[in-house]
Amino acid sequence: MDASAGETSADVVLEALRARARSGATRSADWRRDQLAALERMMIECEAEFGEALAADLGKPALEAWASETAYVAGEARYARRRLRGWMRPRPVPTPAVAQPGASRLVPEPLGVVLVIGAWNYPVQTVLAPAVSALAAGNAVLLKPSELAPASSAALARLVPRYLDPDGVRVVEGGAAETEALLRARFDHIVYTGSGRVGRIVMRAAAEHLTPVTLELGGRSPCVVMPDADVEVAARRIAWGKFMNAGQTCVAPDHVLVDAATRERLVPALAGAIRAFYGDRPLASPDLSRIVNRAHFDRLCRALEGLAPVHGGGRDAATLRIEPTIVVDPPAGHALVCDEIFGPILPVLTVDGLDDAIARIEGGDTPLAAYLFTRDRAAGRRFVDEVRAGMMCLNDTLMFTTVPELPHGGRGASGMGGFKGRAGFERLSHLKPVLRRGWWPDLALRYPPYTDAKFRWLRRLR
Ligand code: NAD
């Protein structure tokens, strides 16, 4: 499709969605509940179809496809549907004496049409999890899956119209040209998941229309292991969070920060966890996903050039698989130390205790997630207080994604705006402040002519 054709069809689709939103149909609790129920049903009934697509795009194991994509979205949809009535209810807020008699409320109302642009690493979840929030908030939604996960994109284009209101939810497939065409149109909110580079393009385009954006970006999520941590448990949890989806997870621990003595216990424990998870021939393991495409495979292989991994390092260009790999202390300035890795390579970087670890983290871009393993509650408190990050988990990795009321989102370079649960609903609603005043008494105090006596009384009322 050339870009101008993309523009035309984008306009047609957008107009249809806008008409649906304007008709008021998407506002009703029934429509929202029906859409959320249908979305949940789609994830359950089409688990196998989505699973096959995810296996084709990323070699994703069925269990991971279920846990992190289909069951994840189904769970979010169910959670939102069950709480919808409460979320939609106007929220009373206190009314001061000066506005009495009166009642003040925040009334959630839909924004209109929301554009969701997904990423390839969790190609179903990054499209449909924001859709849960958008639908719960009563919006029409345009979904743009990533072209780099073509089977998942096609599955969404095929299945979404079968389950969801075709006038209120549409899927547009395509790459950069189609997305740029979409971005020229005026949406009421844009949710983008992906790289900071494209995040900037999205935000610039949105600025033309003063459209608010939610950006779910990436970054180098650090993982600090303290000497008092249970190293065996920490190693398992780090290896699990890192090597799931072959490291192509936005909140995967990017690298480990550890002191020299703890490193000597941690590295063998990490190697042991990798062997226990993926066996002695990880490239043949059905539980190890592949790298999404040749360009990313080559990027990761280049990053390993000239280094001597202490574990792994094997790769297979034919299947785009790279072994879970551990590298200790790559040189300063190396890509593994400076860029988000987004692959199954775990650098273990030696630091001089917690102060040094925190200084290093704070010296870089704000990460999407930060992890600390320690039994020391004071150290945990310090980490929470002093480290800027989108999200945090102490003594585990990734598990915050299972908590519906912990919104998923970054800050600074890792994005803006959080999703999930009530926060997702509120992000894609406008909480309209409404004051309802009583008719009587209608005090003359505030009306001109202004006198000294009125001024004195008004000061007392404040
Ligand atoms: P990407 O930015 O290359 O692509 C994401 C989307 O942007 C795709 O739908 C693509 O079609 C579109 N796109 C690409 N080029 C474009 C252009 N020039 N103009 C307009 N649209 C364009 O990102 P990616 O490589 O798919 O994702 C990797 C990054 O995403 C990593 O940094 C990762 O950490 C991050 N990520 C973040 C989250 C999160 O929830 N915060 C989740 C998944 C991935």
Side-chain angles (χ1 to χ4, degrees), residues 118 120-121 144 147 179 192-195 216-218 250 340 408:
W120 51 262
N121 58 341
K144 212 299 288 175
E147 74 283 11
T179 313
Y192 166 79
T193 302
S195 65
E216 304 285 354
L217 310 177
C250 56
E340 181 184 6
H408 182 94

Side-chain angles (χ1 to χ4, degrees), residues 25 29 51 59 71 81 123-124 131 172 196 244 248 273 356 359 449 456:
R81 179 170 52 78
V124 176
V172 170
M244 173 186 294
Q248 302 164 111
D356 189 19
R456 264 196 314 278

